[in-house]
Amino acid sequence: MTAVVYAARTLIVLVVLGIGLRLLGKREASQLTIYDLAMIMALSNAVQNALTGGRGDLSIGLASAGTIVVVTWVFARIIRRRPDLERRLVGVPTLLVYDGRPLRHRMRRELVTDDDLEAALRERSLSDARQARLVVLEVDGSITVVPRSEGD
Amino acid sequence: MNLLERIFDYPSATGALIVAGKTAAIYVFLIVGLRLLGKRELGQMSLHDVVLIVVLGNAVQNAMLGGDNTLGGGLVAAGVLLLLNRVVNVVLARSRRVERFLSGEPVLIVHDGHVLRGAMSREGVTIEQLHAALREHGIASVGEVHMCVLEVDGTMSVVPRQASVLKTRRHYRGLRLP
C-alpha cells in the first residue's frame, strides 16, 4: 500500500515538472547557464520530500525510483510511436535567422539573446548574421548555422 | 487515513506561503552567491564546481521546505523555482545590460590580424593559448585572422579572413578571472 502511495506521488510530481519545464524552462541546453543548473538542482531537491514523504525507507525509495524509470521509458515509447505528439511534447526546431535576416520575435520568444546568436555564428567562423542562410534552434537546444554558399 | 488522502497531502495556506517565500529567498541567494563565484557558463565549470552545485542543492533543501513533506509543499517550491528562473531568463533576453552583468561579455582578442594585448592580459589569455586556438582552426598566423573572440563560456572562436567553416571546441577554463 505504501508503495502505491509513493509511486502515485512520484507520477504526479513528474507530470507537473514535465509540464512546468515545458512551459517555463528554456530549450537551449547548450546555453544553459550556471543559474539554470542551480535552479535544476534546487528543483530536484525541492520535490524530493514530496516524492518520499521525507522518509528514507528502502521500499519507498525503490517505488519512487522505479516509477521514474518506468515513466521515462513509457514517455520515450510514446514519442517514438506518435511523431505528432513529439512536436507538442518536445517542441519543433525554430528558425532564428533566414537568409541573413534575424527573426527577432522568434528569438525573443525562445529567449535567445543577441549575444547567444553572435556566439553561435562565431563558433561557425561567421562574423555576421548576414553571412548565414539559416540559423536554427534545434529541439535539443543547440544552435545550428547553415552559411550562405559562394555566389548566394 | 485513506489512500487518496495519503497521496494528495498538502500544507495549509500559510504553510504553502511560507514554503514559497523561503524558496524565493533561497533562489535569490543562490544567484547572488554564484555570481560572486565568478563563473557563469557550464563550459567553464570543473568537476569541483558541479559538486559544489549538487551540494548547494542539498544544503538548501530543508531551508526551502522546512520539514514540509507534503506533495503540495514540494510542488509549490518547484513552481516558485521554475517561475523565478523564467523571470531571470526573460530579463536576460530583454536587457543587454543585465545579461552583460550576469553572464559577462565576449572579449575580442584579435581584430583584423592585430593582437589586442591589453584585452588578452586582462582576460589572462597567453600568446601560446591564442596560437593553439588558431592552430585548432587550421590557421598558422595571426595575420590570417579576421577576429578571434573569447566567448563567455570560456571557448575561443576564430573567424578567418577568408571565411571557411571549421570548428573545434575546446575550453580554456580557469583562464577568465572573476
Side-chain angles (χ1 to χ4, degrees), chain B residues 131-141 144 158 160 164 166-168:
Chain B
H131 282 148
L134 297 184
R135 285 192 297 271
E136 252 186 85
H137 288 78
I139 291 172
S141 92
E144 300 166 41
V158 179
S164 68
L166 264 173
K167 166 71 191 171
T168 46

Side-chain angles (χ1 to χ4, degrees), chain B residues 3 20-21 23 41 47 66 71-72 80 87 94 99 106 111 117 132 148-149 167 174-175:
Chain B
L3 188 62
T23 306
E41 297 279 334
L47 188 59
L71 179 67
V80 169
V87 168
R94 292 270 162 85
E99 186 188 22
H111 182 62
R117 303 228 169 240
C148 174
V149 176
K167 166 71 191 171
L175 302 180

